[in-house]
Amino acid sequence: MNIFKISFKNILGRPLNALLTIIMLTMGVALTSLLIMVSASFDESFKKNIRGVDMVVGAKGSPLQLILSAVYQIDNPTGNIPKKEADKLSKNPMVAETVQLSFGDSYKGRKIVGTSHAYLELYGAKMADGKPWSETFEAVVGATVAAENGLNVGDTFYSAHGADENAEVHGDHPFTVTGVLEPNGTVLDRLLLTSPQSIWDVHHSEPISDEEKEITAMLVKFKNKMGMISLPRMVNKNTNMQAALPSIEVNRLFELFGIGIATLQTVAIVLMVLGGISVFVSLLNSLKDRAYEIALMRSMGASRGKVYAMIIIEALLLGLIGVFFGLLIAHVGAIVLDSFTAAELGIQFDLFAFYSGELYLVLATFSICFLAALFPAVKTVKMDVSNVLSTYAN
Amino acid sequence: MEETILKVSDLSYSYGSETLRFPDFACDSNSHLLISGNSGVGKTTLLHLLSGIRHVQKGSVEILGSKLEEMNQSELDKFRGQNLGIIFQQPGFIKSLTAMENLLAAQYFGGKGGDRKKAEGLLAELGIPEKANEKTQALSGGERQRLAIARALACNPAILLADEPTSSLDDGNAQIVYELLVSEADRNNALLIVVSHDQRLKSKFTNRVSL
């Protein structure tokens, strides 16, 4: 027999009370933990994809749409731009590197992007199997796409017009898979890559001149920060193209998400506070009923410190159970969410990974339980044992 | 040799303006003691003073050579746990624990944790060994009283203090409880001190203090 056992039995002795408190704490912890995971993954995933991209150039339209389509491939493109305009911009002395992207076609709902090998280098992609494309109608497939469709090196597929799964198939130009990428958590996982020439050939029966060639967007990396200030303005003012800065657009997007996240955060905080209040009320009630029991313990020689510790441990045990189930639910919930977001947005949760925010969450939960137990504990320890014993005896 | 276990001298206790004065008395290991008196003369106060549940304000309570008035709260708690076993009028227990766990908890709080053999022995002596794993609410009144006696003895106390153990019982049961208390005190080498206004007990004790 020891103080932990007695505290634990005390919790078991009032199962309904304990259950209510544990449910509150569990929900609070689960929601908070899920929020931590979602925000961290969103952040991580969105930042990973704009690493090395200072500016995106595409057809005029919504800058957010341009970023979402060209960088994340989760929206329709704003239109096409002439390749020679893009080439001219590439020669600007403030530009360090560019990657031209031609997209609009798809295979089974996954986008096909005509580009150069620089696109692979931008995201540090590694080949899991095979080699990058070299001739037209050779393609490299991202890890998610390969897994979904069972595509291997040597397989062939036909592209479809548009991003729709049931779109019209370009039946006369089969693509051959020359390589499969390793998963790396970027947009590449969800794409099929080929040369831009393949895209042009699919859409034009006759070979076209350089003048007629179009691309969808171009990712630009500046030589220095100065480019950030003057180039976008120059593009937007003097050309028919649009320039957008991913960092600004992503921040804008996060602000939009932010409202939702802030609402959920408030709900989570309210749940945690309710959990704390529940611990407080439940302890206060149970200790009122148990005053005689506690007085008995004192009569058996229990010191004030032991009684104090017993009450605090009771609260912390409730917190521990809440934390355990809360984190369990959150991480199981993350797998469910993961199966959706990994395919659609390329956001991956790791069930067994713990985010540093969760450590603070655990500490916060224990602190709330400790604080909630403080007043009931002090009140109980201060009671007049003799009075309680003689009152109940009569 | 008869060693003095309890010595009370010049003891009084004030609740505001009202002061209770207690007679001097002492007892040794061989003489069980009855402290009798009518309601309101301070029997429970005396019991709480003797057991260190109340602080001694004036006078002296000496148990096994230690003066209670010189101890602080935690010393009193420890001393009480180790040397005194108290049986209250209404036997109360830790509800969330079984009978056996209540005995083990008493040993734990008394600083003599984990003597399961002793606890099992006490339940057997008191005729309730089969109740060891029952919750205390499931026990009958008589069984609860027996369990209360077992708990008071769980830490091998030098003194067994009983508060009105017989007053609510009929003659037959009062006799049974009295015999149980004396035999258990003797068997466990404890000095029995009964605080009661029950007239039926008077003839049974040779060593008596009247308040």
Side-chain angles (χ1 to χ4, degrees), chain B residues 140-159:
Chain B
S140 71
E143 287 163 350
R144 286 169 71 83
Q145 192 142 26
R146 283 159 192 266
L147 184 60
I149 296 172
R151 183 180 59 195
L153 290 165
C155 289
N156 293 311
I159 299 176

Side-chain angles (χ1 to χ4, degrees), chain A residues 9-10 296 298 386-387, chain B residues 48 54 73 80 92 96 101:
Chain A
K9 297 261 179 179
N10 277 334
L296 270 176
R298 295 292 310 281
S386 174
N387 271 351
Chain B
H48 287 180
R54 253 179 215 293
Q73 183 66 53
R80 177 169 62 245
S96 56
E101 286 166 345

Side-chain angles (χ1 to χ4, degrees), chain B residues 5-75:
Chain B
I5 289 192
L6 171 69
K7 196 172 159 214
V8 171
S9 43
D10 204 19
L11 186 65
S12 67
Y13 193 88
S14 300
Y15 291 97
S17 58
E18 189 191 353
T19 301
L20 298 166
R21 286 178 207 291
F22 302 102
D24 292 356
F25 61 93
C27 51
D28 56 47
S29 53
N30 288 345
S31 54
H32 298 322
L33 175 72
L34 175 70
I35 297 172
S36 62
N38 292 323
S39 298
V41 294
K43 290 194 301 295
T44 301
T45 303
L46 180 57
L47 182 105
H48 287 180
L49 285 170
L50 295 183
S51 55
I53 292 172
R54 253 179 215 293
H55 279 284
V56 174
Q57 290 174 338
K58 198 163 169 295
S60 169
V61 176
E62 192 178 329
I63 296 174
L64 299 165
S66 304
K67 290 191 157 78
L68 297 194
E69 66 273 17
E70 290 170 358
M71 296 185 190
N72 65 25
Q73 183 66 53
S74 63
E75 286 166 343

